[in-house]
Amino acid sequence: MNIILLSGGSGKRLWPLSNEARSKQFLKILRKDDKSESMIQRAYRKIEAVDPDANILVATVQSQESYIMNQLGDAINISVEPGRRDTFPAIALAASYMHDVMHVGEDDAVVVLPSDSWAEDSFFDSIEKLYRHVLNSEQNLCLMGVEPNYPSEKYGYIVPKTGSEISEVAAFKEKPEESAAKEYIRQGAMWNCGVFAFKLNYLLDVSQKTIGTSNYQELFSDYNNLEKISFDYAVVEKEPKIDVLRYSGNWSDLGTWNDLVKVFPEPCIGQHVEKDCEDVYLINELSTPVFLNGLNNVIVAASPDGILITDADKTNSIKKTVESFDHRPMYEERKWGEYRVLYETSYTTNSLTKELIIEAGKNISYQEHYLRDEIWTVVEGEGQLLLNGEVSSVKCGDTVKIAKGVKHAVRAFTRLHIIEVQIGDDLVEEDITRYDWNWEG
Amino acid sequence: MNIILLSGGSGKRLWPLSNEARSKQFLKILRKDDKSESMIQRAYRKIEAVDPDANILVATVQSQESYIMNQLGDAINISVEPGRRDTFPAIALAASYMHDVMHVGEDDAVVVLPSDSWAEDSFFDSIEKLYRHVLNSEQNLCLMGVEPNYPSEKYGYIVPKTGSEISEVAAFKEKPEESAAKEYIRQGAMWNCGVFAFKLNYLLDVSQKTIGTSNYQELFSDYNNLEKISFDYAVVEKEPKIDVLRYSGNWSDLGTWNDLVKVFPEPCIGQHVEKDCEDVYLINELSTPVFLNGLNNVIVAASPDGILITDADKTNSIKKTVESFDHRPMYEERKWGEYRVLYETSYTTNSLTKELIIEAGKNISYQEHYLRDEIWTVVEGEGQLLLNGEVSSVKCGDTVKIAKGVKHAVRAFTRLHIIEVQIGDDLVEEDITRYDWNWEG
């Protein structure tokens, strides 16, 4: 089986847990045995359970590469989009990567699915059915349709020609009002959950015809000039040879807090005390406790970015409000570990205090800042420091002052925990120039 | 007028705003013009408005001295109790301080009132009436009684002999059940709000008789051997010559969150976004936003110590739960400014990161730690550093490493903002030895 796992979005819909750097699919709010698990980790694991030999490719943007490698391992195939051009260019690029880099055969089939939804195990069996159907049929596309369990206004609908498990598509319907949704459901329509399959040569042909090439290198180089267009609009709506496969189990796009809490391993996660509450859900990522007292039907989420306290039935409208929040992310995962902003000042000088955690064996890139000094205090671990080409050892208790213009890096032998104080005019992540360094050399 | 303002308690009833270091009376949740104001500041200001020449003495414990001087000025009279021995020893000590140190005459009267309640302006006029009544009557004690506006179970009741503004006391009643409270109110009883007055020589006599001395130095030296006993039990209940003054305006002991929010200058204080809420109150002391969505009748309080989210009608029971919380305070005011804990680690080493703010012209005491190193990074301001007797200048951008056993202090010329990283075995406020230093010398 060949799978393109779409990892996009920088949605704030699940603020304050998701932010520009941390998309929904990376939130570790699920649980596998006694370990926490993100949505993308779960999807990956479920696909491998159905087909241990599956070729899985993650299609994403550069800012998510670290998260994906941290969560799925360094060996994962990643097709990095050089910009944001909507879903058709992204899928065309990923399909060409599958062909040119992963050497998937032209006659083989590919299933595309989003990485940030949730479904029960039988959904992944249906994905394999979808793959086999496309492989063996003359149709160009096959979509997965989810049997609706309520007349949702959030999803598009697929109307099938027949009621059988696999049917030709009669029509597509945009997100409807509730009354129209009820009528579609009466006609046997299903939710469009964004999962579909095609034969690889079909998509390469479409790319060739509409973009002028299906070559990975050419698509990659020219990516930012491609027309912004969705896969639905560019391909699905124009395609007459199209089937739909009926899936009747549970599925959720986890698009709102109210959806998300339904998949929590327990109602309240993180440091908390709960007293006399009913139907209350909490996720607390802070190191201080949350005390929930006498509440009913409330969802609370606390992270370094902020605190959300909402009526559980009113989470649809959150996105609109939080879109206006424009504070910098206070927490990010990186290839080397993670950082958290502890404190910012902006009285007479700007300063920013961060904790950095660099995992054993990892290093931050060799880099230089033009607008800030950095003072590091090592509070845990041992490693090597690189300053303007000179390597020395560092350990717990050491302090290093890195003036503007000094090239620097650090490598952890054991887990390194550093308190970093930045002082400068403009304290932004973008003030960074990276250099190569061979640590073994 | 002579006033003893009682500043006691380390209650957690208003957790997470109040903690061991920050009692209720210091919370700046009131407002005077466009500046925030604490309860003790307001009480002090209202007394001065009634009598600009009032002799005001604050009776308190050592841990609150910094708060009191920060909030009421360095010139405030403070009677510091060397330990906690309940209210009779505290008032006896304060009365002897008034006589021996402030030279208040024996025939003069003194009014005692708690610093952590709230009342409208006419209450302070009644305080003056109380003072004048005791000064001019033959009674030994006069209490203030508050006309109840509901049959509260939280307060003791005072039953007067008559319905006139000043009456002899017929009986005292302990905190009753609601039905008994209704009966007391029918009999004209009033709440005991903890305000009372006496002639100074009366209390000195009582001290002499029960403790054996009314001398300030002797009481202070012997304080921790005194019997723990409340003023009510030691004095009030035994005294036959006792009046009550009727006060009919608004008064609140601000004893629960539900009481406290009623005196908020606006419903939501601090960084926040509120959408479709009704009867929701917030105080947010954090630097990240709180988003309140679709809530009804909820109180939220967020501070470095934690986050409380409670139904507004269920705040009576909070105290019991939070009494089991035993985390160190994450924020304290000091004579020199304030500190906040930003981060703690305890993986392989213990470290604690704090921000210190030292106000211009102030200094921290010359001190030494045995169990920890400290690394300071100055992120704002200019000042002087003292290390083992050597004075040097420090400014924004400087880093100082203070090893265990190195005596150190810092003085701020302009507001100094320091990020302090502590590394050591046991990171507690108690690991401190203080020395004298004459900065001018």
Side-chain angles (χ1 to χ4, degrees):
Chain A
M1 197 162 60
N2 305 297
I3 301 281
I4 295 173
L5 206 48
L6 299 177
S7 178
S10 60
K12 290 181 172 172
R13 203 187 279 266
L14 298 179
W15 183 94
L17 248 56
S18 63
N19 60 32
E20 275 163 44
R22 190 157 62 144
S23 290
K24 190 172 86 173
Q25 60 269 29
F26 303 121
L27 303 177
K28 292 197 172 182
I29 46 103
L30 306 175
R31 191 163 298 169
K32 161 68 177 151
D33 304 326
D34 60 345
K35 288 181 75 173
S36 59
E37 187 178 57
S38 71
M39 297 156 210
I40 200 169
Q41 286 177 317
R42 182 174 185 276
Y44 187 89
R45 183 169 59 80
K46 293 292 180 188
I47 293 161
E48 286 209 315
V50 170
D51 178 4
D53 298 323
N55 291 308
I56 304 176
L57 172 66
V58 182
T60 191
V61 290
Q62 211 229 313
S63 61
Q64 298 195 351
E65 227 185 329
S66 310
Y67 275 90
I68 291 163
M69 288 164 78
N70 285 350
Q71 297 203 347
L72 301 180
D74 289 353
I76 182 75
N77 295 296
I78 304 181
S79 160
V80 177
E81 297 142 29
R84 290 190 189 269
R85 312 303 298 171
D86 214 333
T87 48
F88 173 58
I91 291 164
L93 185 74
S96 69
Y97 185 101
M98 277 214 152
H99 182 259
D100 295 359
V101 183
M102 295 167 72
H103 308 297
V104 171
E106 291 195 2
D107 291 333
D108 208 344
V110 176
V111 183
V112 176
L113 80 157
S115 59
D116 62 349
S117 54
W118 181 95
E120 63 184 76
D121 288 1
S122 63
F123 183 81
F124 297 89
D125 296 329
S126 290
I127 280 173
E128 204 183 19
K129 268 187 204 159
L130 200 68
Y131 169 76
R132 302 230 167 272
H133 175 64
V134 164
L135 202 60
N136 300 316
S137 87
E138 293 300 310
Q139 297 291 78
N140 284 325
L141 277 174
C142 186
L143 284 71
M144 176 104 80
V146 175
E147 274 192 1
N149 46 27
Y150 73 104
S152 173
E153 300 181 349
K154 289 198 307 182
Y155 309 122
Y157 284 73
I158 306 166
V159 187
K161 287 191 177 162
T162 74
S164 57
E165 187 181 15
I166 294 179
S167 156
E168 283 188 75
V169 171
F172 290 101
K173 303 290 183 183
E174 301 275 315
K175 296 174 187 177
E177 305 255 312
E178 192 179 328
S179 56
K182 281 181 179 162
E183 175 54 26
Y184 299 157
I185 292 172
R186 209 189 50 76
Q187 292 168 28
M190 291 165 275
W191 291 334
N192 186 348
C193 63
V195 176
F196 51 90
F198 47 76
K199 273 216 204 78
L200 192 50
N201 59 7
Y202 166 73
L203 205 83
L204 298 175
D205 283 352
V206 174
S207 298
Q208 186 69 49
K209 277 180 204 144
T210 57
I211 301 175
T213 180
S214 63
N215 174 277
Y216 174 68
Q217 286 302 340
E218 287 178 17
L219 281 169
F220 187 87
S221 308
D222 205 33
Y223 198 80
N224 283 307
N225 299 320
L226 302 187
E227 189 192 357
K228 278 192 182 178
I229 187 165
S230 76
F231 190 83
D232 277 357
Y233 194 72
V235 183
V236 179
E237 292 179 16
K238 293 176 179 156
E239 179 54 56
K241 295 172 73 178
I242 185 164
D243 283 351
V244 59
L245 171 81
R246 179 177 296 268
Y247 164 73
S248 57
N250 281 325
W251 170 87
S252 168
D253 74 341
L254 304 182
T256 66
W257 271 106
N258 207 358
D259 295 331
L260 197 69
V261 299
K262 295 202 175 96
V263 299
F264 273 18
E266 63 243 350
C268 295
I269 303 169
Q271 260 208 70
H272 73 281
V273 176
E274 182 262 295
K275 201 166 158 277
D276 301 334
C277 292
E278 256 179 73
D279 297 323
V280 164
Y281 296 89
L282 165 76
I283 182 157
N284 178 18
E285 292 194 326
L286 302 176
S287 54
T288 48
V290 173
F291 178 11
L292 305 161
N293 186 56
L295 302 171
N296 187 15
N297 202 40
V298 168
I299 296 172
V300 179
S303 90
D305 285 343
I307 300 160
L308 169 72
I309 308 167
T310 179
D311 184 284
D313 295 327
K314 293 175 186 162
T315 64
N316 282 337
S317 59
I318 287 171
K319 190 189 173 197
K320 216 173 142 184
T321 305
V322 298
E323 266 168 358
S324 65
F325 296 1
D326 67 345
H327 202 274
R328 61 161 296 148
M330 300 295 271
Y331 170 84
E332 282 190 59
E333 273 181 46
R334 293 294 170 87
K335 265 179 215 173
W336 43 262
E338 61 186 59
Y339 80 79
R340 190 171 291 232
V341 174
L342 297 178
Y343 202 67
E344 288 176 283
T345 64
S346 54
Y347 309 117
T348 54
T349 38
N350 291 313
S351 81
L352 187 76
T353 304
K354 280 183 179 181
E355 61 156 329
L356 313 178
I357 295 175
I358 303 154
E359 298 297 342
K362 305 264 178 158
N363 62 273
I364 66 166
S365 64
Y366 192 33
Q367 57 189 246
E368 180 180 1
H369 311 296
Y370 298 112
L371 304 175
R372 66 176 185 255
D373 299 337
E374 291 182 349
I375 294 109
W376 287 353
T377 303
V378 181
V379 296
E380 186 197 17
E382 284 178 42
Q384 271 185 327
L385 180 75
L386 170 62
L387 285 181
N388 280 341
E390 297 285 325
V391 174
S392 59
S393 61
V394 282
K395 61 176 194 313
C396 175
D398 288 348
T399 306
V400 187
K401 181 160 179 175
I402 303 155
K404 290 180 190 76
V406 171
K407 296 186 186 112
H408 59 283
V410 68
R411 174 158 75 143
F413 292 152
T414 60
R415 192 177 196 254
L416 264 180
H417 195 124
I418 294 174
I419 302 296
E420 171 180 290
V421 182
Q422 303 180 353
I423 302 174
D425 298 327
D426 200 9
L427 305 173
V428 292
E429 296 296 317
E430 290 72 25
D431 172 22
I432 189 166
T433 306
R434 291 192 169 88
Y435 301 91
D436 288 329
W437 181 263
N438 181 1
W439 282 96
E440 309 305 330
Chain B
M1 197 160 61
N2 306 297
I3 300 282
I4 295 173
L5 207 49
L6 300 177
S7 178
S10 60
K12 290 181 173 173
R13 204 185 280 265
L14 298 179
W15 184 92
L17 247 58
S18 62
N19 60 33
E20 276 163 42
R22 191 157 63 144
S23 290
K24 188 173 86 173
Q25 61 269 29
F26 303 121
L27 303 177
K28 292 198 172 181
I29 48 104
L30 306 175
R31 190 163 298 170
K32 159 68 177 153
D33 303 326
D34 59 344
K35 289 181 74 174
S36 59
E37 188 178 58
S38 71
M39 297 158 209
I40 199 169
Q41 286 176 317
R42 182 173 185 276
Y44 187 89
R45 184 169 60 80
K46 292 292 180 187
I47 293 161
E48 286 210 314
V50 170
D51 177 5
D53 298 323
N55 291 309
I56 303 175
L57 172 66
V58 182
T60 191
V61 290
Q62 209 230 315
S63 62
Q64 298 194 352
E65 226 185 330
S66 310
Y67 274 92
I68 290 164
M69 288 165 77
N70 286 349
Q71 296 203 348
L72 301 180
D74 289 352
I76 183 76
N77 295 295
I78 304 180
S79 161
V80 177
E81 297 142 29
R84 292 191 189 266
R85 312 302 298 170
D86 214 331
T87 48
F88 174 58
I91 291 164
L93 185 74
S96 69
Y97 185 100
M98 275 213 153
H99 181 258
D100 295 358
V101 183
M102 294 167 73
H103 308 298
V104 172
E106 291 194 3
D107 291 333
D108 207 345
V110 177
V111 183
V112 176
L113 80 156
S115 60
D116 62 350
S117 54
W118 181 95
E120 64 184 76
D121 289 0
S122 63
F123 183 82
F124 296 90
D125 296 328
S126 290
I127 280 173
E128 203 182 21
K129 269 188 203 158
L130 199 68
Y131 169 77
R132 302 231 165 271
H133 175 65
V134 165
L135 202 61
N136 300 317
S137 87
E138 292 301 308
Q139 297 291 77
N140 283 326
L141 277 174
C142 186
L143 282 72
M144 177 105 78
V146 174
E147 275 192 0
N149 47 26
Y150 73 104
S152 172
E153 301 180 348
K154 289 198 309 179
Y155 309 121
Y157 283 72
I158 306 167
V159 187
K161 287 191 176 163
T162 74
S164 57
E165 188 181 14
I166 295 178
S167 156
E168 283 188 75
V169 171
F172 291 100
K173 302 290 183 185
E174 301 275 315
K175 295 174 188 178
E177 305 256 312
E178 192 178 329
S179 56
K182 281 182 179 162
E183 175 55 27
Y184 300 157
I185 292 171
R186 210 189 49 76
Q187 294 167 25
M190 291 166 276
W191 290 335
N192 186 348
C193 64
V195 176
F196 51 89
F198 46 76
K199 271 215 204 78
L200 191 49
N201 57 10
Y202 167 74
L203 205 83
L204 298 175
D205 283 353
V206 174
S207 298
Q208 186 69 49
K209 277 177 202 145
T210 57
I211 301 176
T213 180
S214 63
N215 174 277
Y216 174 70
Q217 286 303 340
E218 288 179 16
L219 281 168
F220 187 87
S221 307
D222 206 33
Y223 198 81
N224 284 308
N225 299 320
L226 303 186
E227 188 193 356
K228 277 192 184 181
I229 186 167
S230 77
F231 190 83
D232 277 357
Y233 194 72
V235 182
V236 179
E237 292 179 15
K238 294 176 178 156
E239 179 53 56
K241 295 174 73 178
I242 184 164
D243 284 352
V244 58
L245 172 80
R246 179 178 296 268
Y247 165 72
S248 58
N250 281 324
W251 170 86
S252 167
D253 74 341
L254 305 182
T256 66
W257 270 106
N258 206 357
D259 294 331
L260 196 70
V261 299
K262 294 202 175 95
V263 300
F264 273 16
E266 64 242 349
C268 294
I269 301 169
Q271 260 206 73
H272 74 281
V273 175
E274 182 262 294
K275 202 165 157 276
D276 302 333
C277 292
E278 255 179 75
D279 297 324
V280 165
Y281 296 90
L282 165 75
I283 181 156
N284 178 17
E285 292 194 325
L286 303 175
S287 54
T288 48
V290 173
F291 177 13
L292 305 162
N293 187 55
L295 301 171
N296 187 16
N297 201 42
V298 168
I299 296 172
V300 178
S303 90
D305 285 343
I307 299 161
L308 169 71
I309 309 168
T310 179
D311 183 285
D313 295 327
K314 293 173 186 162
T315 64
N316 282 337
S317 59
I318 288 172
K319 189 187 174 196
K320 215 173 143 184
T321 305
V322 299
E323 265 167 0
S324 65
F325 296 0
D326 68 345
H327 202 271
R328 61 160 295 147
M330 300 295 270
Y331 170 85
E332 282 191 58
E333 274 181 46
R334 292 293 170 89
K335 267 179 213 170
W336 43 262
E338 60 186 59
Y339 80 78
R340 190 171 291 232
V341 175
L342 297 178
Y343 203 68
E344 288 175 283
T345 65
S346 54
Y347 307 116
T348 54
T349 39
N350 291 313
S351 81
L352 187 76
T353 304
K354 280 184 178 181
E355 62 155 327
L356 313 177
I357 295 176
I358 302 154
E359 298 297 341
K362 306 264 179 156
N363 62 274
I364 65 167
S365 63
Y366 192 33
Q367 58 190 245
E368 179 179 0
H369 310 296
Y370 299 112
L371 305 174
R372 66 175 183 257
D373 299 336
E374 291 183 350
I375 294 108
W376 287 353
T377 304
V378 181
V379 296
E380 186 197 17
E382 284 178 42
Q384 273 184 325
L385 180 75
L386 171 62
L387 285 181
N388 280 342
E390 296 286 325
V391 174
S392 59
S393 61
V394 281
K395 60 175 195 316
C396 175
D398 288 349
T399 306
V400 186
K401 180 159 180 176
I402 303 155
K404 290 179 189 79
V406 171
K407 296 187 185 110
H408 59 283
V410 68
R411 173 157 75 144
F413 292 152
T414 60
R415 191 176 196 254
L416 264 181
H417 194 126
I418 293 174
I419 302 296
E420 171 180 290
V421 181
Q422 304 180 353
I423 302 174
D425 298 326
D426 199 9
L427 304 174
V428 293
E429 296 297 316
E430 291 71 23
D431 171 22
I432 189 165
T433 307
R434 291 193 169 87
Y435 301 91
D436 288 329
W437 181 262
N438 181 0
W439 282 97
E440 308 306 330

